[in-house]
Amino acid sequence: MAWNEPGGGNQDPWSGKSGGDQGPPDLDEVVRKLQERLGGLFGGNKPSGNGSSGGGAGIGLPGGPFSSRAIGIVIGVLVVVWLASGIYIVEPAERGVVMRFGRYVDTTGPGPHWHIPMPIESVVKVNVDEISTFSHRAAMLTQDENIVEVELTVQSRIQDAADYLFQDQDPEKTLNDATVTVVRVTIGQSKLDYVMTEGRGAVAVTIKERIQALMDQYRTGLIVTSVNMQPAKPPDQVKAAFDDAIKAREDKERLENQAEAYSNEVLPQARGAAARILADAKAYRDKVIAESEGEAARFTAVLTQYAKAPEVTRQRLYLETMEQVFSENSKVLLDVQDGANSLLYLPVEQLMKQRQMPAEPAQTEPVGALHVPEHSDPPQRVVDRDRRSR
């Protein structure tokens, strides 16, 4: 039952009095009761009597509501919280730069770390994987006193977080100024044709190296990752002439490539033909030498036999020679001696055909008549014919 409801006896929970007094509670009494409860919570001594503690018993004073033990606990909690505030985590793409009273102390890598909390030390996290890009475009004078428009893009990132924060006031501005300077110096040392054609890649590499050298010299903490150079353009007044020159140069390169391709095709064939001719000549040389050696050996053998039997060897050579001569001719004419008028003809060609086709019946048509004179001696002619045939 509530204290102010009917039948509740009008009990006042603040003043502890009952009755018809409905005035506001006494603030001093409320503060005193609150101090008593807090003192009991922290182990403090309760004040004796019912009187108020007055304004003399403050917090932390001897005889006050809070004991020294409670103050120590509070201070310990605050110290723990203060020390815990020094825990920080560095992301993989970041580096932590630790400063003690504003002076650089250390650079920490990715992961959890701890530093002395504020106001003694502080940590600045720097993203070292972020790529910064800026473009530069300008008209410049080349070594051969021609004007060319150059456009390039420079990409960079932070390499040393400490140098980036403390060694240079504005590293990005330093990079821009160094790029402008290096580009003008590099283009000024190159000729127009070289910059516009085959030297564009080499010029970009040279610009990157020189910019990085300046960044290292100024200790900006930046590293140049790439320099992309767009094709250089001549002034508009002479652009048509430069286009014609570029086309002519491309035609020259194309014709040179075609000639080189033709050379690469013809030379192997010529080398192969030369090797084949050399091989044939070597084979012919070996053949001729072998035949010559064989003929010489055969002649030596015949000479030996001739020395032993000259007449027999001479007759054999004659017969072999006649056999070779008659084997290469298809017609043989035999002259008749002793004043005869008849001419003997042997159809050797048809005889050879009959030898090649033994299955067919031999049909020999006499081309000329054979007239044997009566006064001739048949046995002698038969002997001569047999001798010639052998």
Side-chain angles (χ1 to χ4, degrees):
M1 180 179 297
W3 63 273
N4 56 356
E5 291 182 358
N10 293 329
Q11 182 68 29
D12 188 0
W14 301 101
S15 60
K17 299 179 180 180
S18 62
D21 189 3
Q22 299 296 330
D26 189 0
L27 294 179
D28 294 337
E29 185 68 18
V30 172
V31 172
R32 184 183 62 79
K33 290 184 177 182
L34 182 59
Q35 291 178 353
E36 291 178 356
R37 292 182 180 180
L38 291 176
L41 180 61
F42 291 100
N45 298 325
K46 295 183 179 181
S48 58
N50 294 329
S52 61
S53 60
I59 299 177
L61 297 177
F66 294 101
S67 64
S68 58
R69 179 183 177 185
I71 297 175
I73 293 175
V74 172
I75 294 175
V77 171
L78 294 177
V79 170
V80 171
V81 172
W82 179 71
L83 294 176
S85 64
I87 299 176
Y88 65 98
I89 297 177
V90 180
E91 299 296 332
E94 297 177 341
R95 296 295 182 271
V97 179
V98 182
M99 295 178 291
R100 184 175 300 163
F101 298 111
R103 182 179 180 181
Y104 170 73
V105 177
D106 190 15
T107 300
T108 57
H113 302 278
W114 180 85
H115 70 93
I116 302 176
M118 292 289 293
I120 300 176
E121 291 183 352
S122 61
V123 177
V124 178
K125 298 179 182 179
V126 180
N127 192 342
V128 296
D129 287 349
E130 183 179 1
I131 300 297
S132 300
T133 305
F134 77 94
S135 300
H136 175 67
R137 180 179 182 181
M140 303 176 188
L141 192 65
T142 60
Q143 184 180 6
D144 51 356
E145 297 182 357
N146 289 317
I147 298 177
V148 62
E149 294 183 359
V150 178
E151 181 179 1
L152 53 84
T153 302
V154 179
Q155 294 182 343
S156 63
R157 64 177 180 85
I158 300 174
Q159 184 181 20
D160 193 327
D163 289 346
Y164 179 78
L165 292 177
F166 303 111
Q167 298 298 330
D168 194 273
Q169 183 177 2
D170 193 349
E172 302 295 340
K173 185 177 182 302
T174 303
L175 178 61
N176 295 344
D177 297 341
T179 301
V180 173
T181 302
V182 168
V183 170
R184 289 192 177 276
V185 171
T186 305
I187 298 300
Q189 295 176 351
S190 305
K191 294 184 179 181
L192 180 62
D193 293 339
Y194 182 75
V195 174
M196 295 185 60
T197 55
E198 71 274 4
R200 182 164 60 93
V203 169
V205 174
T206 303
I207 291 174
K208 177 183 176 182
E209 293 176 353
R210 292 182 175 180
I211 293 175
Q212 187 60 53
L214 289 177
M215 294 296 99
D216 296 339
Q217 181 180 355
Y218 295 145
R219 298 184 62 184
T220 58
L222 296 177
I223 180 173
V224 180
T225 57
S226 65
V227 174
N228 299 321
M229 185 176 178
Q230 303 299 324
K233 299 179 181 179
D236 296 337
Q237 293 80 358
V238 294
K239 187 176 184 302
F242 274 93
D243 292 341
D244 293 340
I246 292 175
K247 291 180 180 179
R249 187 178 293 105
E250 292 177 352
D251 293 339
K252 174 187 174 183
E253 294 178 354
R254 178 175 55 82
L255 294 176
E256 289 178 351
N257 294 333
Q258 291 179 356
E260 185 177 359
Y262 177 75
S263 174
N264 295 333
E265 179 182 359
V266 171
L267 286 179
Q269 295 179 357
R271 293 190 183 98
R276 185 181 70 252
I277 293 174
L278 291 175
D280 294 342
K282 184 177 180 181
Y284 176 75
R285 181 195 65 183
D286 297 339
K287 176 183 176 182
V288 171
I289 292 175
E291 291 179 352
S292 301
E293 292 175 350
E295 293 291 337
R298 186 175 66 85
F299 178 80
T300 303
V302 171
L303 180 61
T304 303
Q305 297 298 327
Y306 183 81
K308 294 179 180 180
E311 187 65 25
V312 176
T313 304
R314 188 184 302 112
Q315 185 68 22
R316 183 172 61 83
L317 291 176
Y318 173 76
L319 295 177
E320 290 177 357
T321 303
M322 297 306 297
E323 182 180 2
Q324 182 179 1
V325 172
F326 289 155
S327 65
E328 296 176 356
N329 295 324
S330 60
K331 297 179 181 179
V332 178
L333 299 177
L334 299 179
D335 190 9
V336 179
Q337 299 178 358
D338 299 334
N341 295 326
S342 299
L343 182 65
L344 181 61
Y345 167 70
L346 297 179
V348 180
E349 182 178 1
Q350 295 187 6
L351 293 176
M352 294 177 64
K353 288 183 179 179
Q354 291 178 2
R355 182 178 297 179
Q356 293 176 359
M357 298 181 297
E360 297 180 358
Q363 298 179 359
T364 305
E365 296 182 359
V367 178
L370 300 177
H371 299 281
V372 181
E374 295 179 356
H375 62 275
S376 61
D377 190 4
Q380 183 67 26
R381 178 169 295 182
V382 172
V383 172
D384 293 338
R385 183 182 305 171
D386 294 338
R387 182 177 298 175
R388 289 190 183 92
S389 63
R390 286 197 299 270

